Amino acid sequence: MGHSAAVWDTRAAIAVSKDWNGIDQVMLRNPQGASAKVSLHGGQVTSWRNDRGEELLFTSSKAIFKPPKAMRGGIPICFPQFGNCGSLEQHGFARNKLWTIDEDPPPLHTNDSHGKSFIDLLLKPSEEDLKCWPHSFEFRLRVSLAADGNLTMISRIRNINGKPFSFSFAYHTYLSVSDISEVRIEGLETLDFLDNLGQRERFTEQGDAITFESEVDRVYLGTPNSIAVLDHERKQTYVIRKDGLPDVVVWNPWEKKSKSMVDLGDEEYKQMLCVDGAAIEKPITLKPGEEWTGRVQLAVVPSSFCSEYLDPQ
């Protein structure tokens, strides 16, 4: 453990409580006062705050906190299907299921626990799940909060079936922004994307950054492992680093669609932006016994520091 354990007991930084539906939620804290909250409903991160207590994830004021419905906001997990590109319910069933705390998970790489408060969750299919998606799996999720406030999610999905299966996946991350018209995304320029507003037709990004003046619903393909979301008004940048997730979903419903969504306020599209690490265009296929790992790390830095955070491709 090293001498740091005496200074910062990561286990003491984890508290389990019940939400108003009686479902367990886990609060992670770091020594600087940052926090993250994870619900066992969906394995969903519902809050991520910096050391000043500012919320970094968006949750709709009209979000429905009532299982089995997924909550509009935070970071829902889309598995084994993203969107409606398959036979299952929108975004698959993982975000609507009750997960359990995994007391004895198989070890991860050593750096994935050192100096962090973290929780390990586990999802296995129910009889009901196997009827609509007949594949046995173990889905292990680690959510960790580092001393620097970075939030990391690591998903490990293992095939414990007798035959191969395929799935798509996304961390459907709702970022809180000051004003969508003041935001730009860097790192996706010149890439191809599938436009979900136009029958998944393929286009090439022409802008030198992605900015917003109307509804956007795209899957960017073959993306770099680091991208940046710059919020000019707040002078801060979200840096998203990922592994095992070749695609990036960018979504904002804009005015017209927002008004048709019962769990989103009419004007709330201005304060949110979804930027998801994902594997969608080419589904992941696992042979019996194989395991896939997909990781995303979210950091917030002052915008002036952004360039040194992005890896050159």
Side-chain angles (χ1 to χ4, degrees):
M1 285 290 286
H3 64 275
S4 62
V7 182
W8 175 240
D9 178 359
T10 53
R11 282 283 156 209
I14 301 164
V16 181
S17 62
K18 300 254 186 230
D19 68 13
W20 47 80
N21 290 311
I23 292 169
D24 283 348
Q25 55 183 1
V26 181
M27 178 72 91
L28 306 175
R29 298 184 190 280
N30 79 357
Q32 283 68 39
S35 67
K37 196 185 288 178
V38 191
S39 174
L40 267 58
H41 174 53
Q44 183 167 344
V45 175
T46 57
S47 171
W48 172 40
R49 293 177 182 268
N50 63 17
D51 53 14
R52 296 188 298 282
E54 295 161 343
E55 182 58 65
L56 302 168
L57 298 176
F58 168 86
T59 298
S60 169
S61 64
K62 294 189 169 181
I64 298 160
F65 294 89
K66 196 88 184 124
K69 190 158 175 54
M71 184 194 86
R72 172 82 57 201
I75 310 178
I77 289 172
C78 305
F79 168 85
Q81 174 183 304
F82 180 81
N84 53 9
C85 314
S87 58
L88 298 173
E89 61 198 282
Q90 170 94 354
H91 292 328
F93 51 71
R95 65 187 188 142
N96 298 327
K97 298 298 175 187
L98 208 53
W99 296 53
T100 55
I101 293 175
D102 193 355
E103 301 291 0
D104 190 24
L108 270 163
H109 191 271
T110 46
N111 292 350
D112 283 320
S113 58
H114 192 68
K116 299 174 180 177
S117 58
F118 62 90
I119 189 72
D120 288 289
L121 300 182
L122 176 64
L123 180 68
K124 292 182 176 181
S126 65
E127 293 296 316
E128 184 191 337
D129 300 335
L130 290 167
K131 282 179 194 157
C132 64
W133 199 69
H135 307 294
S136 291
F137 65 88
E138 289 175 343
F139 186 150
R140 288 188 158 81
L141 172 68
R142 173 169 291 186
V143 181
S144 67
L145 185 70
D148 56 11
N150 290 356
L151 179 73
T152 302
M153 300 175 73
I154 302 169
S155 290
R156 293 182 284 172
I157 297 169
R158 180 176 289 278
N159 181 351
I160 55 172
N161 216 31
K163 56 183 190 292
F165 63 69
S166 299
F167 61 89
S168 53
F169 181 92
Y171 293 109
H172 196 25
T173 307
Y174 285 79
L175 299 174
S176 171
V177 299
S178 58
D179 182 339
I180 188 64
S181 57
E182 294 287 323
V183 171
R184 77 177 197 266
I185 303 176
E186 294 185 355
L188 302 176
E189 49 279 2
T190 75
L191 297 181
D192 283 4
F193 64 86
L194 305 176
D195 189 352
N196 289 327
L197 301 177
Q199 282 69 54
R200 294 173 66 79
E201 202 178 336
R202 194 177 182 122
F203 296 95
T204 301
E205 178 58 53
Q206 302 297 332
D208 56 1
I210 298 166
T211 55
F212 300 88
E213 46 200 28
S214 59
E215 184 182 353
V216 171
D217 188 353
R218 298 173 182 172
V219 180
Y220 284 84
L221 310 172
T223 60
N225 285 339
S226 293
I227 58 170
V229 181
L230 287 77
D231 188 330
H232 297 296
E233 203 168 294
R234 285 190 190 151
K235 297 185 173 56
Q236 74 178 19
T237 296
Y238 292 99
V239 180
I240 300 169
R241 295 189 193 84
K242 57 191 180 59
D243 287 305
L245 299 162
D247 305 325
V248 167
V249 178
V250 177
W251 179 65
N252 182 286
W254 217 254
E255 193 170 11
K256 188 178 170 193
K257 181 167 264 182
S258 295
K259 287 182 172 160
S260 70
M261 296 166 71
V262 293
D263 58 352
L264 187 67
D266 288 357
E267 299 289 313
E268 285 188 320
Y269 72 90
K270 294 175 182 174
Q271 271 73 58
M272 60 148 284
L273 175 62
C274 285
V275 183
D276 312 355
I280 296 168
E281 187 200 21
K282 299 183 176 111
I284 307 292
T285 299
L286 292 180
K287 297 186 185 116
E290 273 189 334
E291 184 175 271
W292 169 85
T293 301
R295 168 202 311 253
V296 69
Q297 182 197 70
L298 305 175
V300 178
V301 298
S303 288
S304 55
F305 294 162
C306 167
S307 55
E308 62 199 58
Y309 268 75
L310 290 181
D311 311 328
Q313 271 306 99

